Amino acid sequence: MVRFAALGDSLTAGVGDPVGDGLRGWAALLAGGLVADDADNADADDADGSGEAAGGAVRFRNFAVAGARARDVAAFQLPRALAYRPDVVSVVVGMNDTLRRTFDITEVALALDRTCAALSARGAVLLTACLPDPGAVLGLPGPLARPLARRQRQVDAVVHTLSARYGAVHLHLADGAWVADRTLWSTDRLHPGERGHRTIAARFHALLAERGLAHGAAPGREPRQPPPSRADALRWLATAGTGWVLRRCHDLLPDLLRLAGAEVRHRARGTGTLLDLRAERSLAAALAAVSGPAPVTGPAPASGPPAVFAGPAGVGSPAASARPVPVPVPTAVPLATMGE
């Protein structure tokens, strides 16, 4: 029996991939491909991402909550996940942190480190992902998009560092091709649609399979439901979209306008690099707060790639000056034997 737990925000909760009266999402799609097909296993493509799904060889529990930030994952989702005793656990969070006026990269780093350390100490295989900046996804104008891009690059650099530190299976979702392909996105332009969720699940499955950690069939990439129509987009804007915009107007917009004003002034003076330097200093302080020797979780493999990163290097990949030293991936334990 393999236990798979998913932690995070609306991306992992399945927003953008509705099935029936609930949500499914990439994690539920991935769950069915962790082990070889079993007569008792449910079809992953038909899985429900909410609650707990039990098959003959895989148990899946989705703890992700829409709107969650890194500190919410550490405070509320982590204790429940530890009690669940997962063999495989995904931790994908951070974009909501960038969309708050209280954004603090050190707070994000400490919360993520606490989460990853606790799960790694229990011997779970960690799955992580860096994310695209929301300004690019939403198509915001430069002065509004650049401050959000700096924040997301900080979060992604922290995720890269912790992924190396804890030997996580890491997926790049910050590359430009991912952002530009509108067929991957839902009507709200901020969450993946069904095709996007399927793509994430398939890419994670490929990384796990390369390491001998996935033995079932890869999730299909082609949607089973028709793509959202213009009417669906208007319906979302009139309901959930309006609420989201109002919340961000109250929380993020005043701060974002202030940041955009600073962006315009610095560019007019030719001192825009000062904003980048400030972001680099705060990132360095955040990484220093979580620095220390990497935990020993098992012997290094005798052969194979030493780094955990996979996928194309693109926007959001760590800069050469901040690139973490790769940590050897612990010897893989076949999922068929985990939890027995």
Side-chain angles (χ1 to χ4, degrees), residues 131-133 135-138 173-182 184-185 315:
L131 302 171
D133 74 85
V137 174
L138 291 171
L173 291 177
D175 53 275
W178 167 260
V179 176
D181 188 349
R182 299 313 307 177
L184 299 174
W185 297 90
V315 179

Side-chain angles (χ1 to χ4, degrees), residues 65-120:
V65 176
R69 287 179 274 179
R71 67 183 186 184
D72 300 319
V73 170
F76 305 111
Q77 298 178 30
L78 175 60
R80 298 174 66 196
L82 291 173
Y84 186 63
R85 297 179 289 109
D87 303 299
V88 181
V89 58
S90 63
V91 180
V92 180
V93 70
M95 186 174 288
N96 285 317
D97 291 272
T98 70
L99 296 174
R100 299 294 190 276
R101 61 180 176 80
T102 55
F103 175 75
D104 183 333
I105 189 57
T106 297
E107 178 187 85
V108 173
L110 290 171
L112 286 174
D113 186 44
R114 174 186 168 192
T115 300
C116 293
L119 294 166
S120 180

Side-chain angles (χ1 to χ4, degrees), residues 2-323:
V2 176
R3 292 175 180 267
F4 174 32
L7 282 64
D9 53 26
S10 54
L11 171 65
T12 302
V15 173
D17 185 28
V19 174
D21 294 329
L23 298 172
R24 179 178 51 191
W26 69 266
L29 289 163
L30 174 62
L34 293 179
V35 299
D37 289 340
D38 186 301
D40 297 324
N41 246 354
D43 182 353
D45 283 351
D46 296 323
D48 183 351
S50 60
E52 182 172 14
V58 178
R59 283 186 177 272
F60 168 65
R61 189 71 182 271
N62 198 336
F63 297 103
V65 176
R69 287 179 274 179
R71 67 183 186 184
D72 300 319
V73 170
F76 305 111
Q77 298 178 30
L78 175 60
R80 298 174 66 196
L82 291 173
Y84 186 63
R85 297 179 289 109
D87 303 299
V88 181
V89 58
S90 63
V91 180
V92 180
V93 70
M95 186 174 288
N96 285 317
D97 291 272
T98 70
L99 296 174
R100 299 294 190 276
R101 61 180 176 80
T102 55
F103 175 75
D104 183 333
I105 189 57
T106 297
E107 178 187 85
V108 173
L110 290 171
L112 286 174
D113 186 44
R114 174 186 168 192
T115 300
C116 293
L119 294 166
S120 180
R122 296 291 183 91
V125 175
L126 288 174
L127 309 183
T128 62
C130 59
L131 302 171
D133 74 85
V137 174
L138 291 171
L140 298 179
L144 294 174
R146 280 189 288 271
L148 294 180
R150 284 194 195 90
R151 290 180 173 185
Q152 191 62 55
R153 283 197 297 269
Q154 288 178 312
V155 173
D156 287 344
V158 167
V159 172
H160 277 98
T161 299
L162 295 179
S163 296
R165 176 178 169 83
Y166 295 107
V169 176
H170 179 78
L171 176 64
H172 287 283
L173 291 177
D175 53 275
W178 167 260
V179 176
D181 188 349
R182 299 313 307 177
T183 68
L184 299 174
W185 297 90
S186 67
T187 55
D188 66 11
R189 297 178 62 88
L190 194 59
H191 297 94
E194 182 185 356
R195 185 185 297 275
H197 280 282
R198 287 182 173 278
T199 299
I200 295 172
R203 289 174 66 178
F204 261 128
H205 184 277
L207 295 179
L208 288 165
E210 287 174 5
R211 292 159 177 78
L213 297 172
H215 304 280
R221 292 194 181 221
E222 289 304 312
R224 292 191 174 184
Q225 302 185 52
S229 64
R230 181 174 178 81
D232 293 327
L234 293 174
R235 191 178 305 111
W236 174 85
L237 184 61
T239 55
T242 300
W244 187 88
V245 170
L246 289 175
R247 288 191 297 273
R248 295 292 75 78
C249 285
H250 175 73
D251 181 13
L252 174 67
L253 187 58
D255 188 51
L256 188 56
L257 290 175
R258 177 184 63 80
L259 294 172
E263 195 81 36
V264 171
R265 289 193 298 274
H266 275 282
R267 284 194 167 262
R269 299 169 186 163
T271 56
T273 56
L274 291 178
L275 297 175
D276 296 324
L277 289 174
R278 291 174 188 171
E280 290 175 8
R281 291 193 192 102
S282 61
L283 172 60
L287 294 177
V290 297
S291 64
V296 177
T297 55
S303 61
V308 298
F309 304 122
V315 179
S317 297
S321 60
R323 189 179 297 275

